[in-house]
């Protein structure tokens, strides 16, 4: 199974950019990289996904390494509402399209 | 955006009873839905893949006779926890797979907290 590795926790000051890294050295050529975040007692919320090129949306940016073995989720200006557990996920390469969740990164935003 | 609902959001039941949890995709059709379980301070653990009109596929170690899954329509999947026991107390989360020309993404429900007394 393709797996991801993320730091257990990170801290950021409010209104500053945050770079959340993810390693996925066993990624297959057709795997999309998905990012979700989960607030306490809620289901995960979709943030962004990409394949090869960097991606931007209203929530965040996704920077994907040229060899695709790592990626970085960028929150341009962290707010207190961004405090959550962020999961980097690869779609299961077996074709079943199931997600395999790692431990994620708990982001703490300091006021 | 894609919306997935779950009902109920919270349920408390006595040991030995069965509990049904519904998962609905509100603004798209989903041939595939997924059920996860999450214990406190842990990550989500996939329990099963639910396919519309066919039997669910269970992950290793998940008892299919205890966790009954039905996916009778393109917008509804149900998870029934049969003969629930305190160790089944957990946060159950469903997701629905949304497929399009340029997208293939799962959208998650808000979760159901089950407490078995």
């Amino acid at each position: 199974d393709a797996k991801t590795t993320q730091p257990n926790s990170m801290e950021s000051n409010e209104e500053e950019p945050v770079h959340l890294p993810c390693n996925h050295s066993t990624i297959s050529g057709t795997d999309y990289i998905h990012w979700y975040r989960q607030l306490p007692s809620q289901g995960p919320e979709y943030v962004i996904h990409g394949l090869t090129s960097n991606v931007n949306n209203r929530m965040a940016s996704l920077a994907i390494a040229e060899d695709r073995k790592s990626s970085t989720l960028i929150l341009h200006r962290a707010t207190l509402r961004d405090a959550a557990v962020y999961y980097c996920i690869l779609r299961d390469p077996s074709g079943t399209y199931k997600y395999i969740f790692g431990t994620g990164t708990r982001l703490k935003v300091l006021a | 955006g894609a919306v997935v609902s779950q009902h109920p959001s919270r349920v408390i039941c006595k040991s030995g009873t069965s509990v049904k949890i519904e998962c609905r995709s509100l603004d798209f059709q989903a041939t595939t839905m997924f059920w996860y379980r999450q214990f406190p301070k842990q990550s989500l653990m996939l329990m099963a893949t639910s396919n519309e009109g066919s039997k669910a596929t269970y992950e290793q170690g998940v008892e299919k006779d205890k966790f009954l899954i039905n996916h009778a329509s393109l917008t509804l999947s149900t998870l029934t926890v049969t003969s629930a026991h305190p160790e089944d107390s957990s946060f159950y989360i469903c997701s629905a797979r949304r497929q399009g020309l340029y997208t293939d993404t799962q959208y998650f429900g808000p979760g159901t907290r089950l407490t078995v007394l």
Side-chain angles (χ1 to χ4, degrees):
Chain A
D1 292 344
K3 293 185 178 176
T4 61
T5 305
Q6 299 176 254
N8 287 333
S9 63
M10 290 184 66
E11 279 188 5
S12 173
N13 292 319
E14 200 177 7
E15 311 245 326
E16 290 188 357
V18 182
H19 291 234
L20 299 166
C22 180
N23 288 318
H24 29 77
S25 58
T26 59
I27 189 170
S28 72
T30 55
D31 267 346
Y32 277 80
I33 302 157
H34 296 256
W35 282 82
Y36 288 79
R37 68 182 185 184
Q38 186 180 26
L39 279 69
S41 298
Q42 295 187 28
E45 175 189 23
Y46 168 79
V47 177
I48 200 167
H49 75 279
L51 183 62
T52 55
S53 304
N54 294 344
V55 185
N56 300 295
N57 67 20
R58 63 176 180 82
M59 289 181 71
S61 295
L62 176 59
I64 301 172
E66 204 168 320
D67 63 6
R68 299 204 337 118
K69 292 185 177 182
S70 66
S71 61
T72 302
L73 179 71
I74 303 166
L75 306 179
H76 296 286
R77 287 181 64 196
T79 69
L80 296 177
R81 288 176 295 180
D82 292 323
V85 178
Y86 286 79
Y87 294 101
C88 164
I89 299 165
L90 302 180
R91 193 180 61 206
D92 185 283
S94 68
T96 60
Y97 303 102
K98 59 186 181 183
Y99 287 171
I100 302 167
F101 277 81
T103 54
T105 297
R106 184 173 298 277
L107 175 65
K108 185 175 181 180
V109 180
L110 306 174
Chain B
V3 180
V4 177
S5 70
Q6 277 184 245
H7 178 79
S9 58
R10 185 180 296 269
V11 58
I12 302 173
C13 70
K14 292 183 179 179
S15 187
T17 60
S18 295
V19 174
K20 180 187 283 189
I21 303 169
E22 292 185 349
C23 177
R24 294 181 186 273
S25 56
L26 298 184
D27 53 356
F28 66 98
Q29 294 183 327
T31 55
T32 306
M33 292 184 173
F34 301 87
W35 287 95
Y36 298 81
R37 181 167 54 182
Q38 186 175 35
F39 293 107
K41 298 194 185 300
Q42 293 187 24
S43 186
L44 281 74
M45 185 185 75
L46 179 66
M47 299 174 67
T49 302
S50 168
N51 295 299
E52 188 265 337
S54 64
K55 290 184 179 180
T57 303
Y58 291 82
E59 294 300 300
Q60 193 172 8
V62 178
E63 300 175 59
K64 61 180 182 181
D65 293 330
K66 180 167 185 62
F67 298 100
L68 301 179
I69 292 172
N70 183 274
H71 193 156
S73 79
L74 289 172
T75 59
L76 173 64
S77 175
T78 60
L79 169 69
T80 301
V81 183
T82 62
S83 187
H85 291 284
E87 57 266 29
D88 298 322
S89 298
S90 188
F91 193 48
Y92 291 87
I93 306 169
C94 72
S95 72
R97 179 185 174 198
R98 184 175 192 178
Q99 293 173 269
L101 269 179
Y102 305 106
T103 185
D104 190 343
T105 303
Q106 288 185 34
Y107 291 91
F108 289 81
T112 297
R113 183 150 322 269
L114 170 63
T115 303
V116 185
L117 303 176

